[in-house]
Amino acid sequence: MFPPSLNVTFSKKPSVKMAKLTSLFVVLFSLFCISEAVFEDQVGKFDWRQQYVGKTLFAHFESNTQSSKKLFVATDKNIFASFNSRTGDLLWRHVDKTGPEGTIDTFLLHGQDALMVVGDGRLLRSWDTNIGGLNWEAVLDTGSFQAACFVAIQDTVKHVAVLKKAAISLHYLSNGHQKWVENLPDGDAVQYQAVYSGGEEELYVLGVVPNSHLTIIAYSLEDGEITKQRSVEAPWLSSVESSCVVVGQGVLMCVDPATFALYTLPIQAEETPEFSQILLQSLDLKVSPGFQPVLVSSQPHPARSPLSEFFLQLGTDHHVLLQLNADGYTIAPLRDFQPSFLVSFATTGEKTVAAVMTPKNETACAINLFSVDSGRRLLDTTVIFPLDLNGGKPHKLYVHAFLKKDDSVGYRVLVQTQDHALTFIQQPGRVVWTREEALADVVTMEMVDLPLTGTQAELEGEFGKKADGLFPMVLKRLSSQVILLQAWLAHLWKLFYEARKPRSQVKNEVTIETLSRDEFNLQKMMVMVTASGKLFGIDSKSGSILWKHYLENVQPNAAFKLIVQRTTAHFPHPPQCTLLIKDKDTGLATLHVFNPIFGRKSHIALPALPRPILQSLLLPVIDQDYAKVLLLVDDQYKVTAFPSTKNVLQQLQEMASSIFFYLIHSDQGNLSGFRLRKDLSTERIWEVVLPTEVQKIVAVKGKRPNEHVHSQGRVMGDRSVLYKYLNPNLLAVVTESTDTHPERAFVGVFLVDGVTGRIIHEAVQRKARGPVHFVHSENWVVYEYWNTKSRRNEFSVLELFEGTELYNSTVFSSLDRPHLPQVLQQTYIFPSPITTMEATLTEKGITSRHLLVGLPSGAILSLPKMFLDPRRPEVVTEHSREENLIPYAPEMPIRTEWFINYNQTVLRVKGIYTAPSGLESTCLVVAYGLDIYQTRVYPSKQFDVLKDDYDYVLISSVLFALFFATMISKRLAQVKLLNRAWR
Amino acid sequence: MASVPRSFLLLSVIPTILILCVDFACCNTGRKIGDGLDTDFSGFSVPLEHSFEVDDVSRFRMRGALQLRGGRETSVSLSQSQLSEEDRNTLKEVAAVDGLYKIRVPRVSLTDRQTERQMDGYLTAFVRACSLVESHLSDVITLHTDVSGYLIGVSIVTIPGACRGTEVEDEVDLEAFNTTLTIIAPTNAPQPETALFIERMDIEHEKRGKPQEQKSFFAKYWYLILGGAIFLMASSSAQPSAGGAEEQQS
């Protein structure tokens, strides 16, 4: 019924010779291998992908016509991308290396050429903006990047100048070849910071000796010879970059925050020039206290000199438009903008306008255009920018101005807010699209069950309430039945009504009001926490953002931990999530408590946390409102409980002696365990120290608390049972050696009991180094490392067994398990590096497990755990065949049909989140990184779901036929018996 | 270091025969880091201290002395005195309130004796006092070392480990410790077994591959070639007659 899948399925017949060689393996593999391929018509049915680019650093619009559709951005994630400005969709995207090697230093746009300096002045690239292809790439000389600008001769832009710390070079725009490169004189003392070209025959480089003087060097464009070199006294100047701009006919304009004065200096002047000072006071301008004034100028075309009008920012919401008079040293104020958040220049044709954003009311800002020459407001140019209360404040303004047919100026604006969101607005204030670029950096996430529908909740509520007599109970039952009937009738009516409409019009828009759990709990709320401090609630089925909440005052280096304190299961109590935000420098933590379905902040009294928090743990203890108790341990080992009601404190006192926790100081190699005392103080009960001279702790992982293991043991070939060592308190501690020599480097894996501090197993992987990725689940640990000797990636699996007898089959206690488990281990070669790893998770743990491996290529591999089994035999025996063990092969295969995201590559996968669904066979998967990808996986196929093409007609007709056949034959038999009796 | 006696001790504790043998074989070859430093084979002793208080505030007292012998054959022995009358009573009291019995050893290096450097700090472990009492002071103490011979952890368990609330009447049962002492060094994790796999593949290859390769191309496919030839001949002879028939019709 289905067309063939996108990927090659496994059931291809192998050739005769191959089959003879590896017949054994093929037979075995075909027994076990589960083909994961997606059918073509299933593409996008259960999965979705969203692509992001990150925080915008530079943005340019394609060209200044009304019909242009492209918008180019360069971001902090080292990405150069193009958006369709009508829809906000990604047209193309170039993802460079992460880290400083791929940093985009600057981005200049001229016509169809996008010029980019990458990696702190390492490369100069030119892109074709039409198709996003690379025109050329030039390797620059070493030295850190300072500035770059286009250089024009006789009105045509032919070159680009790149200023580095000690050299300046000129490159052809057409092919990137270097025209000339010159070392800058006196490079040790002078900090060269700016380069300027106004379309003349010379190129000016500006350098400064802080608080001493300014150096101006003029280079001939022809051959790079120094034509002029002057130095000007400027004891007040510390940085050209931050306090100076070029305005008008090559006049350097600087602002001195100490004396509140503007300084002007003609750059091209022949005679020895001097700065002329203009006090701001003389212009009737006043700088807000503590504010560093900022100058903003504009050079519409590289072949011409900059505008003589410029903005001076005097406070966070105060800008002034000033004009440099023709004489070159007097200034005339054109217009004062107060209050004003953001200003920007935009040029179209010969007209240049200034866009100013001013606050309108609580929920909106207004953007207006002003004529630059006169400072007059242009009519009918107001655009309203709606301020999202759950978003950040506007941060940057990019204006796309164009000439309309009637020669008036029209414009569109791209507003970047503090939460990295981009909003594109058209006149007269229509939000065309919004991109939530904070989602390019998801730190942590959780999936929360959706609430029940109103009718389901009504039924639930009946059981939740206290019983108050027989009669009221009957009434209550009747009323809820009536409500159910009503809902059913409404549903029927809706079905009837919609049946008349054409199919395409019936659309189930997901909104926050219509959210409810589906039959198999496949649709959930994804709560995502991003590095910028913005929280998102995303519908897992469609990927649409249902709520967002921006947390202001979150430090950029903060660590987040998201905890689900109360799930949706406790109606009428709303679900509750707690986000622990910890400042990495001070260690001080704050809590943000919210409802994960609606994103609203809860008004619960939060505990005061005056001391740095070391550890947080969620206890299975619940308070009277069914919220799990969160314990926070501070640096004096005192414990704070949240919520800390009387009921909770009493419960804590009762179970204090059975609450244990551990702390890890990886910088000291110290692992220690604590026990809670009745007065909520703690006592240290064990300590393990891994000397930091030998190895350092890189990661520690426990098991997931919501993990279920269905089978206690494994049935072996001889029908005996090998019991798993299922210690819920087990920690996997991974270390790396401090010695990085390839022969002596090692990776250590310690399995430590988190309650008693007992080292259960200690293994050393020789000639290995990180990065180590590992998964700890059930009774196994799988880790991946780099083998320094063989130069390859390897997977190793550790499995723990209690043996053929259980010590205590009813309950597991770390305090009473005297025997160490058996540890089996096997290692395999993996033919690819990996970026992240996670294991699938299902409701009851019956389904076999798969490992989800994120590869750098952007694929997500679903690797059956069966391949990572230390009991895989080297020599096949009767018993191993009985047990369905795959014979050992040193290399782990990567099959393309195991890629769960087929051709939907997800780049820079940082984490994979798995959550069980209501169906035992189905596990929900979210991969996040630069992109977000959501899908479902079925590790043991859909054994609990009937296929789409299941033949109901056949099965029911067979059933009926059999039924009638029995009836008839029964009747016949009766008749026959009767006849025989008469005879 | 990783030694024969230690591994046998392990074997007695854990009934894993197959894998530990493999591990043990690796241990001797792998642990070569401290070899140059093994000058002192005479061994040294470190105190083993314990603490059991009703109020759970640690006050460590001497329990015995651990005789450690570093070098190629790491061994450890423990000399400890009996519990005094007072200690026995305290231990029973602690057991009654479900207190903890803690032990600690100082952090030392088994190989690096030349510097005689004693790192500050202790390694601590605990067991429930009641289980110690109920097991009649039969405990198993395990010392863990890392690759370069530093002690990194200590653990104590009692056999049996459960607290069933059985009264220990006999004072004699609580006089002397019945301690099993082991020292465990890290096991070497296995490398991918490529050599063995290739060997096995070669054997299989030899077994199955030989008779096939002796046949020549013609010997193998003579029937196909013959069949093809016959088919070609038949079709070429059939064609003109078919064409002729057509002509006749028109």
Side-chain angles (χ1 to χ4, degrees), chain A residues 481-527:
Chain A
Q481 297 285 17
V482 168
I483 290 168
L484 273 180
L485 186 72
Q486 207 179 334
W488 186 64
L489 287 175
H491 178 70
L492 278 186
W493 171 248
K494 200 181 161 200
L495 273 184
F496 173 71
Y497 188 73
E498 275 175 0
R500 293 186 302 178
K501 277 195 207 164
R503 253 273 157 93
S504 56
Q505 279 183 19
V506 184
K507 239 187 198 171
N508 293 327
E509 276 288 308
V510 184
T511 56
I512 214 149
E513 285 77 30
T514 60
L515 273 185
S516 66
R517 203 178 299 177
D518 59 335
E519 251 176 317
F520 299 119
N521 202 3
L522 289 163
Q523 186 180 10
K524 295 198 181 199
M525 178 66 84
M526 294 160 53
V527 180

Short mmCIF file of all heavy atoms in Angstrom, two decimals, chain A residues 481-527:
data_model
loop_
_atom_site.label_atom_id
_atom_site.label_comp_id
_atom_site.label_asym_id
_atom_site.label_seq_id
_atom_site.Cartn_x
_atom_site.Cartn_y
_atom_site.Cartn_z
N GLN A 481 -22.71 13.51 34.82
CA GLN A 481 -23.18 12.73 33.67
C GLN A 481 -23.87 13.64 32.66
O GLN A 481 -23.70 13.48 31.45
CB GLN A 481 -24.14 11.63 34.11
CG GLN A 481 -23.55 10.58 35.03
CD GLN A 481 -22.64 9.60 34.30
OE1 GLN A 481 -22.22 9.87 33.19
NE2 GLN A 481 -22.34 8.49 34.92
N VAL A 482 -24.64 14.58 33.17
CA VAL A 482 -25.34 15.51 32.29
C VAL A 482 -24.32 16.33 31.51
O VAL A 482 -24.45 16.54 30.30
CB VAL A 482 -26.28 16.42 33.11
CG1 VAL A 482 -26.77 17.58 32.27
CG2 VAL A 482 -27.44 15.62 33.64
N ILE A 483 -23.27 16.76 32.22
CA ILE A 483 -22.24 17.55 31.54
C ILE A 483 -21.56 16.72 30.46
O ILE A 483 -21.32 17.19 29.34
CB ILE A 483 -21.20 18.05 32.57
CG1 ILE A 483 -21.84 19.11 33.46
CG2 ILE A 483 -19.97 18.62 31.88
CD1 ILE A 483 -21.02 19.47 34.67
N LEU A 484 -21.32 15.45 30.76
CA LEU A 484 -20.71 14.57 29.77
C LEU A 484 -21.60 14.42 28.55
O LEU A 484 -21.13 14.48 27.41
CB LEU A 484 -20.48 13.19 30.39
CG LEU A 484 -19.18 12.99 31.15
CD1 LEU A 484 -19.10 11.57 31.69
CD2 LEU A 484 -18.00 13.24 30.23
N LEU A 485 -22.90 14.25 28.80
CA LEU A 485 -23.86 14.09 27.71
C LEU A 485 -23.86 15.33 26.83
O LEU A 485 -23.84 15.27 25.60
CB LEU A 485 -25.25 13.83 28.30
CG LEU A 485 -26.35 13.50 27.29
CD1 LEU A 485 -26.14 12.09 26.74
CD2 LEU A 485 -27.72 13.63 27.92
N GLN A 486 -23.84 16.46 27.52
CA GLN A 486 -23.85 17.74 26.83
C GLN A 486 -22.62 17.86 25.92
O GLN A 486 -22.73 18.23 24.75
CB GLN A 486 -23.81 18.83 27.90
CG GLN A 486 -24.42 20.13 27.51
CD GLN A 486 -24.34 21.11 28.67
OE1 GLN A 486 -24.28 20.68 29.83
NE2 GLN A 486 -24.33 22.37 28.38
N ALA A 487 -21.47 17.49 26.48
CA ALA A 487 -20.23 17.59 25.71
C ALA A 487 -20.27 16.66 24.51
O ALA A 487 -19.81 17.00 23.42
CB ALA A 487 -19.05 17.25 26.62
N TRP A 488 -20.86 15.49 24.72
CA TRP A 488 -20.92 14.52 23.64
C TRP A 488 -21.82 15.02 22.52
O TRP A 488 -21.50 14.90 21.35
CB TRP A 488 -21.44 13.20 24.20
CG TRP A 488 -21.42 12.08 23.23
CD1 TRP A 488 -20.32 11.52 22.66
CD2 TRP A 488 -22.55 11.39 22.71
NE1 TRP A 488 -20.69 10.51 21.82
CE2 TRP A 488 -22.06 10.40 21.82
CE3 TRP A 488 -23.93 11.49 22.91
CZ2 TRP A 488 -22.90 9.53 21.13
CZ3 TRP A 488 -24.76 10.62 22.22
CH2 TRP A 488 -24.25 9.65 21.34
N LEU A 489 -22.96 15.60 22.92
CA LEU A 489 -23.88 16.15 21.93
C LEU A 489 -23.20 17.28 21.15
O LEU A 489 -23.32 17.36 19.93
CB LEU A 489 -25.16 16.66 22.60
CG LEU A 489 -26.09 15.55 23.09
CD1 LEU A 489 -27.27 16.14 23.84
CD2 LEU A 489 -26.59 14.72 21.89
N ALA A 490 -22.48 18.13 21.87
CA ALA A 490 -21.77 19.23 21.22
C ALA A 490 -20.76 18.68 20.21
O ALA A 490 -20.61 19.20 19.11
CB ALA A 490 -21.07 20.08 22.27
N HIS A 491 -20.11 17.61 20.61
CA HIS A 491 -19.12 17.00 19.74
C HIS A 491 -19.79 16.46 18.48
O HIS A 491 -19.30 16.66 17.36
CB HIS A 491 -18.42 15.88 20.52
CG HIS A 491 -17.42 15.13 19.73
ND1 HIS A 491 -16.22 15.69 19.33
CD2 HIS A 491 -17.43 13.86 19.25
CE1 HIS A 491 -15.55 14.80 18.63
NE2 HIS A 491 -16.25 13.69 18.57
N LEU A 492 -20.95 15.80 18.68
CA LEU A 492 -21.67 15.24 17.54
C LEU A 492 -22.11 16.34 16.59
O LEU A 492 -21.98 16.23 15.37
CB LEU A 492 -22.91 14.48 18.02
CG LEU A 492 -22.70 13.05 18.51
CD1 LEU A 492 -24.03 12.40 18.79
CD2 LEU A 492 -21.93 12.25 17.46
N TRP A 493 -22.61 17.40 17.16
CA TRP A 493 -23.08 18.53 16.35
C TRP A 493 -21.93 19.11 15.54
O TRP A 493 -22.06 19.41 14.36
CB TRP A 493 -23.70 19.60 17.27
CG TRP A 493 -24.00 20.86 16.54
CD1 TRP A 493 -23.39 22.06 16.70
CD2 TRP A 493 -24.96 21.04 15.50
NE1 TRP A 493 -23.91 22.98 15.84
CE2 TRP A 493 -24.88 22.37 15.08
CE3 TRP A 493 -25.89 20.18 14.88
CZ2 TRP A 493 -25.68 22.89 14.08
CZ3 TRP A 493 -26.68 20.70 13.88
CH2 TRP A 493 -26.57 22.04 13.49
N LYS A 494 -20.77 19.20 16.18
CA LYS A 494 -19.60 19.75 15.51
C LYS A 494 -19.21 18.85 14.34
O LYS A 494 -18.90 19.31 13.25
CB LYS A 494 -18.45 19.84 16.52
CG LYS A 494 -17.36 20.81 16.11
CD LYS A 494 -16.25 20.83 17.14
CE LYS A 494 -15.00 21.40 16.55
NZ LYS A 494 -13.83 21.03 17.30
N LEU A 495 -19.25 17.54 14.60
CA LEU A 495 -18.90 16.58 13.56
C LEU A 495 -19.84 16.74 12.37
O LEU A 495 -19.41 16.77 11.22
CB LEU A 495 -19.02 15.15 14.09
CG LEU A 495 -17.80 14.58 14.79
CD1 LEU A 495 -18.06 13.13 15.17
CD2 LEU A 495 -16.58 14.67 13.90
N PHE A 496 -21.13 16.85 12.68
CA PHE A 496 -22.14 16.97 11.66
C PHE A 496 -21.94 18.25 10.86
O PHE A 496 -22.01 18.28 9.64
CB PHE A 496 -23.52 16.95 12.32
CG PHE A 496 -24.64 17.23 11.38
CD1 PHE A 496 -25.01 16.29 10.44
CD2 PHE A 496 -25.33 18.44 11.43
CE1 PHE A 496 -26.04 16.54 9.57
CE2 PHE A 496 -26.35 18.70 10.55
CZ PHE A 496 -26.71 17.75 9.62
N TYR A 497 -21.66 19.31 11.58
CA TYR A 497 -21.50 20.62 10.96
C TYR A 497 -20.28 20.64 10.06
O TYR A 497 -20.32 21.16 8.95
CB TYR A 497 -21.36 21.66 12.08
CG TYR A 497 -21.39 23.07 11.58
CD1 TYR A 497 -22.58 23.65 11.13
CD2 TYR A 497 -20.23 23.84 11.57
CE1 TYR A 497 -22.60 24.94 10.68
CE2 TYR A 497 -20.24 25.13 11.12
CZ TYR A 497 -21.44 25.69 10.68
OH TYR A 497 -21.46 26.97 10.24
N GLU A 498 -19.22 20.03 10.55
CA GLU A 498 -17.97 20.08 9.80
C GLU A 498 -17.95 19.12 8.63
O GLU A 498 -17.16 19.27 7.71
CB GLU A 498 -16.78 19.80 10.73
CG GLU A 498 -16.33 21.06 11.43
CD GLU A 498 -15.24 20.80 12.44
OE1 GLU A 498 -14.85 19.63 12.60
OE2 GLU A 498 -14.80 21.76 13.07
N ALA A 499 -18.81 18.11 8.71
CA ALA A 499 -18.84 17.12 7.63
C ALA A 499 -19.27 17.77 6.32
O ALA A 499 -18.91 17.31 5.25
CB ALA A 499 -19.78 15.99 8.00
N ARG A 500 -20.00 18.84 6.41
CA ARG A 500 -20.49 19.51 5.21
C ARG A 500 -19.44 20.40 4.57
O ARG A 500 -19.51 20.72 3.41
CB ARG A 500 -21.74 20.34 5.54
CG ARG A 500 -22.91 19.46 5.93
CD ARG A 500 -24.14 20.28 6.10
NE ARG A 500 -23.97 21.32 7.09
CZ ARG A 500 -24.89 22.21 7.39
NH1 ARG A 500 -26.03 22.20 6.75
NH2 ARG A 500 -24.68 23.10 8.32
N LYS A 501 -18.49 20.80 5.41
CA LYS A 501 -17.43 21.67 4.90
C LYS A 501 -16.40 20.84 4.13
O LYS A 501 -16.23 19.66 4.41
CB LYS A 501 -16.70 22.33 6.07
CG LYS A 501 -17.41 23.56 6.60
CD LYS A 501 -16.43 24.30 7.48
CE LYS A 501 -17.11 25.12 8.53
NZ LYS A 501 -16.18 25.50 9.57
N PRO A 502 -15.72 21.45 3.16
CA PRO A 502 -14.64 20.70 2.51
C PRO A 502 -13.52 20.43 3.53
O PRO A 502 -13.30 21.18 4.47
CB PRO A 502 -14.18 21.64 1.39
CG PRO A 502 -14.71 22.97 1.76
CD PRO A 502 -15.94 22.75 2.55
N ARG A 503 -12.79 19.37 3.28
CA ARG A 503 -11.78 18.87 4.20
C ARG A 503 -10.71 19.92 4.56
O ARG A 503 -10.31 20.07 5.71
CB ARG A 503 -11.05 17.67 3.55
CG ARG A 503 -11.44 16.33 4.18
CD ARG A 503 -10.57 16.04 5.38
NE ARG A 503 -11.19 15.12 6.32
CZ ARG A 503 -11.02 13.82 6.31
NH1 ARG A 503 -10.31 13.28 5.37
NH2 ARG A 503 -11.57 13.08 7.23
N SER A 504 -10.29 20.66 3.52
CA SER A 504 -9.14 21.54 3.73
C SER A 504 -9.45 22.66 4.70
O SER A 504 -8.57 23.21 5.34
CB SER A 504 -8.69 22.12 2.39
OG SER A 504 -9.79 22.77 1.79
N GLN A 505 -10.75 23.00 4.80
CA GLN A 505 -11.08 24.13 5.67
C GLN A 505 -11.11 23.74 7.14
O GLN A 505 -10.97 24.58 8.01
CB GLN A 505 -12.44 24.71 5.28
CG GLN A 505 -12.33 25.63 4.09
CD GLN A 505 -13.65 26.25 3.75
OE1 GLN A 505 -14.55 26.28 4.59
NE2 GLN A 505 -13.77 26.75 2.54
N VAL A 506 -11.31 22.45 7.39
CA VAL A 506 -11.36 22.02 8.78
C VAL A 506 -9.92 21.94 9.29
O VAL A 506 -9.15 21.07 8.92
CB VAL A 506 -12.02 20.64 8.89
CG1 VAL A 506 -12.14 20.25 10.35
CG2 VAL A 506 -13.36 20.66 8.23
N LYS A 507 -9.60 22.88 10.11
CA LYS A 507 -8.21 22.91 10.58
C LYS A 507 -8.23 22.93 12.10
O LYS A 507 -8.99 23.67 12.72
CB LYS A 507 -7.53 24.18 10.06
CG LYS A 507 -6.30 23.87 9.22
CD LYS A 507 -5.58 25.14 8.89
CE LYS A 507 -4.65 24.96 7.73
NZ LYS A 507 -4.12 26.22 7.29
N ASN A 508 -7.44 22.09 12.67
CA ASN A 508 -7.38 22.07 14.12
C ASN A 508 -6.24 22.94 14.58
O ASN A 508 -5.11 22.49 14.76
CB ASN A 508 -7.21 20.64 14.63
CG ASN A 508 -8.42 19.81 14.34
OD1 ASN A 508 -9.54 20.31 14.33
ND2 ASN A 508 -8.20 18.54 14.06
N GLU A 509 -6.52 24.19 14.71
CA GLU A 509 -5.50 25.11 15.20
C GLU A 509 -5.24 24.81 16.67
O GLU A 509 -6.17 24.68 17.47
CB GLU A 509 -6.00 26.55 15.06
CG GLU A 509 -5.76 27.14 13.69
CD GLU A 509 -4.30 27.44 13.43
OE1 GLU A 509 -3.69 28.12 14.27
OE2 GLU A 509 -3.77 26.99 12.40
N VAL A 510 -3.97 24.69 17.00
CA VAL A 510 -3.62 24.44 18.39
C VAL A 510 -3.49 25.78 19.10
O VAL A 510 -2.69 26.62 18.72
CB VAL A 510 -2.30 23.68 18.48
CG1 VAL A 510 -2.01 23.32 19.93
CG2 VAL A 510 -2.36 22.43 17.64
N THR A 511 -4.31 25.99 20.07
CA THR A 511 -4.15 27.18 20.89
C THR A 511 -4.09 26.73 22.33
O THR A 511 -4.35 25.57 22.64
CB THR A 511 -5.34 28.14 20.72
OG1 THR A 511 -6.51 27.41 21.04
CG2 THR A 511 -5.43 28.70 19.33
N ILE A 512 -3.73 27.63 23.15
CA ILE A 512 -3.54 27.28 24.55
C ILE A 512 -4.85 26.85 25.19
O ILE A 512 -4.89 26.06 26.12
CB ILE A 512 -2.88 28.48 25.26
CG1 ILE A 512 -1.93 27.96 26.34
CG2 ILE A 512 -3.87 29.44 25.83
CD1 ILE A 512 -0.77 28.85 26.57
N GLU A 513 -5.98 27.33 24.62
CA GLU A 513 -7.28 26.99 25.22
C GLU A 513 -7.71 25.57 24.84
O GLU A 513 -8.38 24.89 25.60
CB GLU A 513 -8.37 27.97 24.76
CG GLU A 513 -8.30 29.34 25.42
CD GLU A 513 -7.20 30.20 24.83
OE1 GLU A 513 -6.89 30.02 23.63
OE2 GLU A 513 -6.65 31.03 25.56
N THR A 514 -7.33 25.15 23.63
CA THR A 514 -7.81 23.85 23.18
C THR A 514 -6.87 22.71 23.57
O THR A 514 -7.06 21.58 23.15
CB THR A 514 -7.95 23.84 21.65
OG1 THR A 514 -6.66 24.12 21.11
CG2 THR A 514 -8.94 24.87 21.18
N LEU A 515 -5.84 23.02 24.32
CA LEU A 515 -4.88 21.99 24.67
C LEU A 515 -5.52 20.94 25.56
O LEU A 515 -6.12 21.26 26.59
CB LEU A 515 -3.74 22.62 25.46
CG LEU A 515 -2.59 23.20 24.66
CD1 LEU A 515 -1.54 23.66 25.61
CD2 LEU A 515 -2.05 22.18 23.72
N SER A 516 -5.39 19.71 25.16
CA SER A 516 -5.82 18.64 26.06
C SER A 516 -5.10 17.38 25.65
O SER A 516 -4.64 17.24 24.53
CB SER A 516 -7.32 18.46 25.99
OG SER A 516 -7.65 17.99 24.71
N ARG A 517 -5.04 16.49 26.60
CA ARG A 517 -4.30 15.26 26.37
C ARG A 517 -5.00 14.40 25.33
O ARG A 517 -6.22 14.30 25.31
CB ARG A 517 -4.21 14.51 27.69
CG ARG A 517 -3.06 13.55 27.75
CD ARG A 517 -3.02 12.88 29.09
NE ARG A 517 -2.83 13.82 30.17
CZ ARG A 517 -2.82 13.46 31.44
NH1 ARG A 517 -2.99 12.19 31.78
NH2 ARG A 517 -2.65 14.35 32.39
N ASP A 518 -4.22 13.77 24.45
CA ASP A 518 -4.84 12.88 23.47
C ASP A 518 -4.90 11.47 24.04
O ASP A 518 -4.42 11.20 25.13
CB ASP A 518 -4.10 12.94 22.14
CG ASP A 518 -2.67 12.55 22.27
OD1 ASP A 518 -2.12 12.68 23.39
OD2 ASP A 518 -2.07 12.10 21.30
N GLU A 519 -5.47 10.58 23.28
CA GLU A 519 -5.74 9.23 23.76
C GLU A 519 -4.51 8.53 24.30
O GLU A 519 -4.55 7.87 25.32
CB GLU A 519 -6.29 8.42 22.59
CG GLU A 519 -7.74 8.10 22.70
CD GLU A 519 -8.18 7.39 21.45
OE1 GLU A 519 -7.79 7.81 20.35
OE2 GLU A 519 -8.93 6.40 21.58
N PHE A 520 -3.41 8.66 23.59
CA PHE A 520 -2.22 7.92 23.97
C PHE A 520 -1.14 8.81 24.54
O PHE A 520 0.01 8.40 24.62
CB PHE A 520 -1.70 7.15 22.75
CG PHE A 520 -2.67 6.15 22.22
CD1 PHE A 520 -3.16 6.25 20.95
CD2 PHE A 520 -3.12 5.13 23.04
CE1 PHE A 520 -4.08 5.33 20.47
CE2 PHE A 520 -4.03 4.21 22.58
CZ PHE A 520 -4.52 4.31 21.29
N ASN A 521 -1.50 10.01 24.91
CA ASN A 521 -0.56 10.93 25.53
C ASN A 521 0.66 11.16 24.64
O ASN A 521 1.79 11.19 25.11
CB ASN A 521 -0.13 10.37 26.89
CG ASN A 521 0.37 11.46 27.80
OD1 ASN A 521 0.35 12.63 27.43
ND2 ASN A 521 0.83 11.08 28.96
N LEU A 522 0.42 11.27 23.35
CA LEU A 522 1.52 11.48 22.41
C LEU A 522 1.85 12.95 22.25
O LEU A 522 2.91 13.31 21.82
CB LEU A 522 1.16 10.89 21.05
CG LEU A 522 1.15 9.36 21.00
CD1 LEU A 522 0.40 8.88 19.78
CD2 LEU A 522 2.55 8.82 20.99
N GLN A 523 0.87 13.77 22.59
CA GLN A 523 1.09 15.21 22.47
C GLN A 523 1.40 15.76 23.84
O GLN A 523 0.65 15.55 24.79
CB GLN A 523 -0.18 15.85 21.91
CG GLN A 523 -0.04 17.31 21.61
CD GLN A 523 -1.32 17.88 21.06
OE1 GLN A 523 -2.36 17.23 21.07
NE2 GLN A 523 -1.27 19.11 20.59
N LYS A 524 2.51 16.42 23.96
CA LYS A 524 2.91 16.96 25.27
C LYS A 524 3.36 18.40 25.13
O LYS A 524 3.53 18.91 24.03
CB LYS A 524 4.06 16.13 25.84
CG LYS A 524 3.68 14.70 26.12
CD LYS A 524 4.67 14.07 27.05
CE LYS A 524 4.30 12.63 27.31
NZ LYS A 524 4.95 12.10 28.49
N MET A 525 3.56 19.02 26.26
CA MET A 525 4.09 20.38 26.26
C MET A 525 5.59 20.31 26.48
O MET A 525 6.06 19.72 27.45
CB MET A 525 3.41 21.18 27.38
CG MET A 525 3.91 22.59 27.52
SD MET A 525 3.52 23.61 26.12
CE MET A 525 1.87 24.12 26.52
N MET A 526 6.32 20.89 25.54
CA MET A 526 7.77 20.94 25.70
C MET A 526 8.12 22.26 26.36
O MET A 526 7.86 23.32 25.81
CB MET A 526 8.45 20.88 24.33
CG MET A 526 8.26 19.59 23.59
SD MET A 526 8.54 19.74 21.82
CE MET A 526 10.15 20.47 21.79
N VAL A 527 8.69 22.19 27.53
CA VAL A 527 9.14 23.41 28.21
C VAL A 527 10.63 23.54 27.94
O VAL A 527 11.41 22.68 28.33
CB VAL A 527 8.87 23.33 29.72
CG1 VAL A 527 9.34 24.60 30.40
CG2 VAL A 527 7.40 23.10 29.98
#
